[in-house]
PDB file of all heavy atoms in Angstrom:
ATOM      1  N   LYS A 614     -14.882 -41.719  50.556  1.00 98.00           N
ATOM      2  CA  LYS A 614     -14.777 -43.034  49.903  1.00 98.00           C
ATOM      3  C   LYS A 614     -16.162 -43.654  49.898  1.00 98.00           C
ATOM      4  O   LYS A 614     -16.729 -43.919  50.956  1.00 98.00           O
ATOM      5  CB  LYS A 614     -13.825 -43.937  50.693  1.00 98.00           C
ATOM      6  CG  LYS A 614     -12.368 -43.635  50.446  1.00 98.00           C
ATOM      7  CD  LYS A 614     -11.500 -44.706  51.081  1.00 98.00           C
ATOM      8  CE  LYS A 614     -10.027 -44.406  50.772  1.00 98.00           C
ATOM      9  NZ  LYS A 614      -9.122 -45.388  51.360  1.00 98.00           N
ATOM     10  N   VAL A 615     -16.679 -43.883  48.700  1.00 98.00           N
ATOM     11  CA  VAL A 615     -17.987 -44.522  48.570  1.00 98.00           C
ATOM     12  C   VAL A 615     -17.758 -45.988  48.221  1.00 98.00           C
ATOM     13  O   VAL A 615     -17.126 -46.295  47.209  1.00 98.00           O
ATOM     14  CB  VAL A 615     -18.823 -43.837  47.466  1.00 98.00           C
ATOM     15  CG1 VAL A 615     -20.186 -44.520  47.342  1.00 98.00           C
ATOM     16  CG2 VAL A 615     -18.993 -42.349  47.770  1.00 98.00           C
ATOM     17  N   THR A 616     -18.247 -46.877  49.090  1.00 97.00           N
ATOM     18  CA  THR A 616     -18.021 -48.304  48.892  1.00 97.00           C
ATOM     19  C   THR A 616     -19.307 -48.988  48.430  1.00 97.00           C
ATOM     20  O   THR A 616     -20.378 -48.745  48.979  1.00 97.00           O
ATOM     21  CB  THR A 616     -17.531 -48.961  50.196  1.00 97.00           C
ATOM     22  OG1 THR A 616     -16.384 -48.243  50.654  1.00 97.00           O
ATOM     23  CG2 THR A 616     -17.171 -50.419  49.973  1.00 97.00           C
ATOM     24  N   ASP A 617     -19.143 -49.831  47.419  1.00 96.00           N
ATOM     25  CA  ASP A 617     -20.265 -50.651  46.962  1.00 96.00           C
ATOM     26  C   ASP A 617     -20.237 -51.937  47.776  1.00 96.00           C
ATOM     27  O   ASP A 617     -19.318 -52.744  47.622  1.00 96.00           O
ATOM     28  CB  ASP A 617     -20.092 -50.953  45.466  1.00 96.00           C
ATOM     29  CG  ASP A 617     -21.273 -51.763  44.909  1.00 96.00           C
ATOM     30  OD1 ASP A 617     -22.069 -52.287  45.728  1.00 96.00           O
ATOM     31  OD2 ASP A 617     -21.382 -51.860  43.680  1.00 96.00           O
ATOM     32  N   PRO A 618     -21.228 -52.146  48.666  1.00 95.00           N
ATOM     33  CA  PRO A 618     -21.158 -53.305  49.570  1.00 95.00           C
ATOM     34  C   PRO A 618     -21.203 -54.641  48.830  1.00 95.00           C
ATOM     35  O   PRO A 618     -20.738 -55.652  49.352  1.00 95.00           O
ATOM     36  CB  PRO A 618     -22.396 -53.129  50.468  1.00 95.00           C
ATOM     37  CG  PRO A 618     -23.312 -52.235  49.729  1.00 95.00           C
ATOM     38  CD  PRO A 618     -22.455 -51.367  48.861  1.00 95.00           C
ATOM     39  N   ARG A 619     -21.746 -54.659  47.628  1.00 95.00           N
ATOM     40  CA  ARG A 619     -21.852 -55.936  46.910  1.00 95.00           C
ATOM     41  C   ARG A 619     -20.503 -56.410  46.420  1.00 95.00           C
ATOM     42  O   ARG A 619     -20.202 -57.588  46.389  1.00 95.00           O
ATOM     43  CB  ARG A 619     -22.798 -55.791  45.713  1.00 95.00           C
ATOM     44  CG  ARG A 619     -24.270 -55.663  46.122  1.00 95.00           C
ATOM     45  CD  ARG A 619     -25.075 -55.173  44.960  1.00 95.00           C
ATOM     46  NE  ARG A 619     -24.530 -53.906  44.442  1.00 95.00           N
ATOM     47  CZ  ARG A 619     -25.055 -53.219  43.443  1.00 95.00           C
ATOM     48  NH1 ARG A 619     -26.111 -53.697  42.815  1.00 95.00           N
ATOM     49  NH2 ARG A 619     -24.533 -52.086  43.065  1.00 95.00           N
ATOM     50  N   THR A 620     -19.643 -55.481  46.015  1.00 94.00           N
ATOM     51  CA  THR A 620     -18.344 -55.860  45.463  1.00 94.00           C
ATOM     52  C   THR A 620     -17.201 -55.559  46.426  1.00 94.00           C
ATOM     53  O   THR A 620     -16.107 -56.078  46.279  1.00 94.00           O
ATOM     54  CB  THR A 620     -18.073 -55.092  44.164  1.00 94.00           C
ATOM     55  OG1 THR A 620     -18.072 -53.692  44.472  1.00 94.00           O
ATOM     56  CG2 THR A 620     -19.141 -55.388  43.132  1.00 94.00           C
ATOM     57  N   GLY A 621     -17.449 -54.686  47.388  1.00 94.00           N
ATOM     58  CA  GLY A 621     -16.381 -54.292  48.297  1.00 94.00           C
ATOM     59  C   GLY A 621     -15.433 -53.268  47.694  1.00 94.00           C
ATOM     60  O   GLY A 621     -14.481 -52.842  48.334  1.00 94.00           O
ATOM     61  N   THR A 622     -15.669 -52.881  46.439  1.00 96.00           N
ATOM     62  CA  THR A 622     -14.804 -51.881  45.819  1.00 96.00           C
ATOM     63  C   THR A 622     -15.277 -50.491  46.198  1.00 96.00           C
ATOM     64  O   THR A 622     -16.432 -50.281  46.547  1.00 96.00           O
ATOM     65  CB  THR A 622     -14.816 -52.006  44.296  1.00 96.00           C
ATOM     66  OG1 THR A 622     -16.170 -51.934  43.863  1.00 96.00           O
ATOM     67  CG2 THR A 622     -14.199 -53.309  43.844  1.00 96.00           C
ATOM     68  N   TYR A 623     -14.345 -49.541  46.140  1.00 96.00           N
ATOM     69  CA  TYR A 623     -14.722 -48.171  46.505  1.00 96.00           C
ATOM     70  C   TYR A 623     -14.263 -47.186  45.444  1.00 96.00           C
ATOM     71  O   TYR A 623     -13.395 -47.477  44.618  1.00 96.00           O
ATOM     72  CB  TYR A 623     -14.158 -47.784  47.865  1.00 96.00           C
ATOM     73  CG  TYR A 623     -12.670 -47.658  47.909  1.00 96.00           C
ATOM     74  CD1 TYR A 623     -12.045 -46.464  47.523  1.00 96.00           C
ATOM     75  CD2 TYR A 623     -11.866 -48.716  48.333  1.00 96.00           C
ATOM     76  CE1 TYR A 623     -10.667 -46.343  47.549  1.00 96.00           C
ATOM     77  CE2 TYR A 623     -10.491 -48.600  48.363  1.00 96.00           C
ATOM     78  CZ  TYR A 623      -9.899 -47.404  47.967  1.00 96.00           C
ATOM     79  OH  TYR A 623      -8.532 -47.288  47.989  1.00 96.00           O
ATOM     80  N   THR A 624     -14.891 -46.021  45.520  1.00 97.00           N
ATOM     81  CA  THR A 624     -14.502 -44.936  44.629  1.00 97.00           C
ATOM     82  C   THR A 624     -14.243 -43.706  45.478  1.00 97.00           C
ATOM     83  O   THR A 624     -14.852 -43.535  46.531  1.00 97.00           O
ATOM     84  CB  THR A 624     -15.598 -44.691  43.574  1.00 97.00           C
ATOM     85  OG1 THR A 624     -15.055 -43.998  42.468  1.00 97.00           O
ATOM     86  CG2 THR A 624     -16.757 -43.880  44.127  1.00 97.00           C
ATOM     87  N   GLU A 625     -13.281 -42.883  45.058  1.00 97.00           N
ATOM     88  CA  GLU A 625     -12.965 -41.685  45.838  1.00 97.00           C
ATOM     89  C   GLU A 625     -13.708 -40.487  45.281  1.00 97.00           C
ATOM     90  O   GLU A 625     -13.755 -40.291  44.068  1.00 97.00           O
ATOM     91  CB  GLU A 625     -11.457 -41.407  45.792  1.00 97.00           C
ATOM     92  CG  GLU A 625     -10.665 -42.403  46.597  1.00 97.00           C
ATOM     93  CD  GLU A 625      -9.199 -42.033  46.674  1.00 97.00           C
ATOM     94  OE1 GLU A 625      -8.824 -40.924  46.220  1.00 97.00           O
ATOM     95  OE2 GLU A 625      -8.432 -42.852  47.178  1.00 97.00           O
ATOM     96  N   VAL A 626     -14.255 -39.684  46.184  1.00 97.00           N
ATOM     97  CA  VAL A 626     -14.969 -38.490  45.742  1.00 97.00           C
ATOM     98  C   VAL A 626     -14.315 -37.261  46.368  1.00 97.00           C
ATOM     99  O   VAL A 626     -14.177 -37.179  47.589  1.00 97.00           O
ATOM    100  CB  VAL A 626     -16.455 -38.540  46.146  1.00 97.00           C
ATOM    101  CG1 VAL A 626     -17.169 -37.279  45.674  1.00 97.00           C
ATOM    102  CG2 VAL A 626     -17.125 -39.778  45.589  1.00 97.00           C
ATOM    103  N   ASP A 627     -13.896 -36.336  45.532  1.00 96.00           N
ATOM    104  CA  ASP A 627     -13.441 -35.047  46.020  1.00 96.00           C
ATOM    105  C   ASP A 627     -14.672 -34.161  46.129  1.00 96.00           C
ATOM    106  O   ASP A 627     -15.434 -34.041  45.165  1.00 96.00           O
ATOM    107  CB  ASP A 627     -12.447 -34.422  45.034  1.00 96.00           C
ATOM    108  CG  ASP A 627     -11.096 -35.120  45.100  1.00 96.00           C
ATOM    109  OD1 ASP A 627     -10.455 -35.023  46.150  1.00 96.00           O
ATOM    110  OD2 ASP A 627     -10.715 -35.765  44.103  1.00 96.00           O
ATOM    111  N   PRO A 628     -14.892 -33.527  47.271  1.00 97.00           N
ATOM    112  CA  PRO A 628     -16.109 -32.717  47.442  1.00 97.00           C
ATOM    113  C   PRO A 628     -16.240 -31.605  46.407  1.00 97.00           C
ATOM    114  O   PRO A 628     -17.342 -31.154  46.114  1.00 97.00           O
ATOM    115  CB  PRO A 628     -15.986 -32.161  48.860  1.00 97.00           C
ATOM    116  CG  PRO A 628     -14.620 -32.485  49.337  1.00 97.00           C
ATOM    117  CD  PRO A 628     -14.106 -33.604  48.515  1.00 97.00           C
ATOM    118  N   GLU A 629     -15.097 -31.191  45.821  1.00 95.00           N
ATOM    119  CA  GLU A 629     -15.139 -30.142  44.786  1.00 95.00           C
ATOM    120  C   GLU A 629     -16.029 -30.538  43.607  1.00 95.00           C
ATOM    121  O   GLU A 629     -16.517 -29.675  42.877  1.00 95.00           O
ATOM    122  CB  GLU A 629     -13.729 -29.851  44.249  1.00 95.00           C
ATOM    123  CG  GLU A 629     -12.851 -29.018  45.169  1.00 95.00           C
ATOM    124  CD  GLU A 629     -12.098 -29.861  46.183  1.00 95.00           C
ATOM    125  OE1 GLU A 629     -12.398 -31.074  46.306  1.00 95.00           O
ATOM    126  OE2 GLU A 629     -11.217 -29.309  46.871  1.00 95.00           O
ATOM    127  N   GLU A 630     -16.223 -31.855  43.436  1.00 94.00           N
ATOM    128  CA  GLU A 630     -17.052 -32.293  42.312  1.00 94.00           C
ATOM    129  C   GLU A 630     -18.501 -31.867  42.486  1.00 94.00           C
ATOM    130  O   GLU A 630     -19.266 -31.819  41.527  1.00 94.00           O
ATOM    131  CB  GLU A 630     -16.965 -33.829  42.179  1.00 94.00           C
ATOM    132  CG  GLU A 630     -15.578 -34.322  41.779  1.00 94.00           C
ATOM    133  CD  GLU A 630     -15.402 -35.830  41.996  1.00 94.00           C
ATOM    134  OE1 GLU A 630     -16.396 -36.558  41.926  1.00 94.00           O
ATOM    135  OE2 GLU A 630     -14.255 -36.257  42.250  1.00 94.00           O
ATOM    136  N   TYR A 631     -18.898 -31.581  43.744  1.00 96.00           N
ATOM    137  CA  TYR A 631     -20.302 -31.226  43.999  1.00 96.00           C
ATOM    138  C   TYR A 631     -20.490 -29.863  44.661  1.00 96.00           C
ATOM    139  O   TYR A 631     -21.586 -29.305  44.596  1.00 96.00           O
ATOM    140  CB  TYR A 631     -20.945 -32.274  44.908  1.00 96.00           C
ATOM    141  CG  TYR A 631     -21.032 -33.649  44.291  1.00 96.00           C
ATOM    142  CD1 TYR A 631     -20.062 -34.611  44.530  1.00 96.00           C
ATOM    143  CD2 TYR A 631     -22.094 -33.974  43.449  1.00 96.00           C
ATOM    144  CE1 TYR A 631     -20.152 -35.867  43.963  1.00 96.00           C
ATOM    145  CE2 TYR A 631     -22.191 -35.227  42.879  1.00 96.00           C
ATOM    146  CZ  TYR A 631     -21.210 -36.174  43.137  1.00 96.00           C
ATOM    147  OH  TYR A 631     -21.309 -37.410  42.565  1.00 96.00           O
ATOM    148  N   LEU A 632     -19.450 -29.349  45.321  1.00 96.00           N
ATOM    149  CA  LEU A 632     -19.638 -28.179  46.181  1.00 96.00           C
ATOM    150  C   LEU A 632     -18.847 -26.977  45.689  1.00 96.00           C
ATOM    151  O   LEU A 632     -17.873 -27.115  44.945  1.00 96.00           O
ATOM    152  CB  LEU A 632     -19.184 -28.516  47.609  1.00 96.00           C
ATOM    153  CG  LEU A 632     -19.862 -29.712  48.284  1.00 96.00           C
ATOM    154  CD1 LEU A 632     -19.243 -29.948  49.659  1.00 96.00           C
ATOM    155  CD2 LEU A 632     -21.361 -29.488  48.409  1.00 96.00           C
TER     156      LEU A 632
END
Side-chain angles (χ1 to χ4, degrees):
Chain A
K614 282 189 178 179
V615 180
T616 306
D617 182 347
R619 288 165 304 182
T620 60
T622 55
Y623 68 84
T624 200
E625 288 186 8
V626 180
D627 286 295
E629 284 87 350
E630 294 165 29
Y631 296 95
L632 303 177

